Amino acid sequence: MIDLNGKYELLIKTLRSKIPFYPELSIILGSGLGDFAEKLEIIKSIPTNELTGYPQSTVEGHKGFIHFAKYAEKKLLLFQGRIHFYEGYSLSEVFLPVHIAAKLNSQYLLLTNAAGGISKNLIPSDLMLDISFNSFAVKKEITEVIGIASVYEKHKFLDFPSKEFNAIIREAAALKQINLKEGVYWYTKGPSYETAAEIKMISKFGGDAVGMSTAHEAVYGAKLGMKVSAISCITNYATGLTAQKLSHIEVIETANKVKNNFENLVKKIIELL
Ligand code: HPA
């Protein structure tokens, strides 16, 4: 088992000496959703390249900042720039933002992502509450980080996504009259998008949306005792469902269009916490 407490001890110590407060909610911002941080009162921003040992995201639409911000008198920690497994980082590196959130005593962790819609119920620009995840593709790596017993026993003690946090998110969507869809988020390793045959299989197995992050972060966040929930921004139809070719540009463009709804929803969630 890899000891993340040991691996990141110094980094957490350095970070603690720089932070203006301990956050109540932490948010990892997905592809194209990073601008949300700028809609809040930013108290302090720390470029991740100032933190020795912090992996740098190499993906377009992912800036490397940790922001300490306030909204509705709540103390927030935002990660602008996600670290993906497909970039070649180990899962213990991918887990670092989640680890930081927990070590700074964040009670809640909101994971956000861009995802391809598979279910007929989903169209690009929809927001979807992730009601469950698969993480087959990285089971071995998750086990290495959080331990075999924890994975086998997860249904005994890991409540993720958090029922309590999901209820708050549903209430926020209702209050804002946002048609928040719900579905299963299916993780694929990437980095290339899926083939039409893979999407057909995932659909048969019960996946509603597909993406390259979040599922394993949710396991680790829950393992560290945070209330974890996740929201997907449906940026495109998954491969094979339309004639259109998939591109990262399309993902970013659609995420841009959903920004308003996303901002309204997440702000309401923060107010309700
Ligand atoms: N597949 C995987 N990841 C994604 C997609 C997709 O269709 N859209 C946005 N992220």
Side-chain angles (χ1 to χ4, degrees), residues 28 82 109-113 127-133 160-162 165-166 169 180-183 185 213-215 217-218 227-233 262 269:
I28 299 185
R82 177 181 250 121
L109 175 66
L110 180 62
L111 303 168
T112 69
N113 59 61
L127 293 171
M128 181 185 98
L129 178 65
D130 299 357
I131 51 163
S132 193
F133 313 91
F160 79 98
S162 157
F165 197 9
N166 273 2
I169 295 172
L180 179 67
K181 307 278 174 75
E182 302 201 1
Y185 176 91
S213 65
T214 304
E217 297 166 9
K227 291 175 183 136
V228 184
S229 287
I231 296 173
S232 296
C233 166
F262 179 79
I269 293 168

Side-chain angles (χ1 to χ4, degrees), residues 135 142 146 154 158 160 214-224:
S135 49
I142 292 177
I146 76 170
K154 80 178 170 204
L158 288 189
F160 79 98
T214 304
H216 37 291
E217 297 166 9
V219 181
Y220 188 54
K223 159 82 178 159
L224 296 184

Side-chain angles (χ1 to χ4, degrees), residues 99-162:
H99 189 76
I100 288 174
K103 292 294 155 190
L104 298 186
N105 304 346
S106 192
Q107 260 182 285
Y108 293 90
L109 175 66
L110 180 62
L111 303 168
T112 69
N113 59 61
I118 300 176
S119 152
K120 287 197 173 61
N121 178 35
L122 295 171
I123 56 169
S125 295
D126 271 345
L127 293 171
M128 181 185 98
L129 178 65
D130 299 357
I131 51 163
S132 193
F133 313 91
N134 87 300
S135 49
F136 294 150
V138 283
K139 231 9 158 213
K140 174 176 165 280
E141 290 82 356
I142 292 177
T143 308
E144 275 166 9
V145 178
I146 76 170
I148 287 178
S150 309
V151 173
Y152 288 156
E153 292 169 22
K154 80 178 170 204
H155 297 299
K156 281 195 199 149
F157 65 89
L158 288 189
D159 171 34
F160 79 98
S162 157

Side-chain angles (χ1 to χ4, degrees), residues 57-110:
S57 179
T58 58
V59 187
E60 199 194 321
H62 285 267
K63 298 178 188 169
F65 282 103
I66 296 177
H67 299 289
F68 289 83
K70 279 193 177 164
Y71 179 73
E73 291 175 28
K74 303 283 177 3
K75 299 187 191 98
L76 312 166
L77 169 60
L78 294 112
F79 293 90
Q80 204 180 28
R82 177 181 250 121
I83 305 148
H84 299 85
F85 192 59
Y86 67 70
E87 291 172 86
Y89 290 116
S90 66
L91 216 53
S92 54
E93 288 168 308
V94 172
F95 282 164
L96 180 57
V98 180
H99 189 76
I100 288 174
K103 292 294 155 190
L104 298 186
N105 304 346
S106 192
Q107 260 182 285
Y108 293 90
L109 175 66
L110 180 62

